[in-house]
Amino acid sequence: MSFTWLKTISLMLLLLVLSGCNQSIDDQIANGLQLTETVFAEEPEEHTEKIGDIKLYLPSNFKVEDSSDAYNIVISKGKESYILFINDEEAQDSKLYYNLLKENEADKIIEESTYDKNGRFGFTAVLKTEDKNEMELIVSSGGVKMTTISQTKHIETNLREMTKIVHSVKMK
C-alpha cells in the first residue's frame, strides 16, 4: 500500500513541476511584449557589429549571414533566421512600418504593443502563421524593423533579443 501511495505522490509532484515549467503561448506572448517595453525604455546595448554605415548590437549567439545589402540584413541564431530591414529615410518617431502592418496584416495580429516616448516610436507584434506551433514576430523602432518566424516555445526570448537588436541600431 505505501509503495503505491509513494508512486502516486511522486507522479503528482512530477506533474506539478512540469506544468510550472511550461508557459502557455498567451503567457509567452504577454511576457515577451512586457519585456520589449522594458528594453525600449532602457539605454541601447553597446554596438558589437558594424555593417557599412550601420552599427548594431548582436547577442553572442547571433551572427550576420548576409549583409550584401546594408538595408536588408539576414541574421541567424542556430537554425532560426531573422531579417533586419533598415530605412534610413525614416525618423525615429516614424510609424511607417506600424501603419503598413495595420493595413495589410490586421487580421493576422494576435497581440501587439506600442512604445512612444522621447521622440521614438516602436512596436512589437505577434502574428498567426499557417503552423500552430509557430508565430511571426515583428519588432520595429522608427525606420528599423526585424522579423522572424518563431517556434512558440521561443517567443519570449526571441522578442527580448530582437528588441535589443532593433533598439541598438544606429545609422550615420
Side-chain angles (χ1 to χ4, degrees):
M1 175 80 177
S2 65
F3 182 68
T4 305
W5 184 77
L6 184 60
K7 282 177 32 179
T8 303
I9 295 287
S10 297
L11 181 60
M12 289 174 64
L13 286 172
L14 179 64
L15 290 174
L16 183 64
V17 168
L18 290 176
S19 67
C21 293
N22 292 327
Q23 290 184 359
S24 72
I25 293 171
D26 291 339
D27 288 343
Q28 284 256 347
I29 293 170
N31 291 340
L33 293 178
Q34 187 174 24
L35 283 170
T36 62
E37 287 184 33
T38 301
V39 172
F40 273 134
E42 296 173 345
E43 287 295 315
E45 297 285 337
E46 292 290 322
H47 299 125
T48 59
E49 298 286 325
K50 186 174 191 292
I51 302 165
D53 290 338
I54 298 164
K55 294 178 183 177
L56 67 141
Y57 162 79
L58 284 183
S60 61
N61 50 347
F62 282 71
K63 69 178 187 172
V64 174
E65 289 294 329
D66 182 10
S67 62
S68 55
D69 175 359
Y71 299 100
N72 298 296
I73 302 166
V74 178
I75 298 171
S76 68
K77 176 179 78 170
K79 294 180 181 181
E80 295 178 314
S81 292
Y82 303 77
I83 301 174
L84 183 64
F85 301 97
I86 299 172
N87 183 342
D88 62 352
E89 298 295 318
E90 293 297 318
Q92 288 187 343
D93 64 350
S94 172
K95 295 182 180 179
L96 172 71
Y97 289 131
Y98 183 70
N99 293 335
L100 289 171
L101 172 74
K102 297 298 274 184
E103 289 172 17
N104 299 321
E105 305 290 342
D107 59 328
K108 293 182 180 180
I109 299 171
I110 295 172
E111 203 66 49
E112 68 176 90
S113 71
T114 60
Y115 177 86
D116 195 357
K117 288 188 181 155
N118 303 324
R120 185 174 209 144
F121 177 80
F123 76 91
T124 306
V126 179
L127 287 72
K128 296 178 207 171
T129 64
E130 297 294 320
D131 185 339
K132 68 177 183 170
N133 296 316
E134 295 178 336
M135 303 283 174
E136 180 178 359
L137 307 180
I138 302 172
V139 176
S140 180
S141 179
V144 179
K145 177 176 91 167
M146 188 173 212
T147 66
T148 192
I149 301 297
S150 175
Q151 295 292 313
T152 54
K153 62 185 175 185
H154 299 296
I155 290 172
E156 186 176 335
T157 302
N158 283 339
L159 285 174
R160 183 183 71 244
E161 291 174 328
M162 290 168 66
T163 306
K164 284 183 177 186
I165 293 168
V166 167
H167 189 48
S168 76
V169 172
K170 184 175 181 181
M171 301 171 263
K172 284 190 178 178

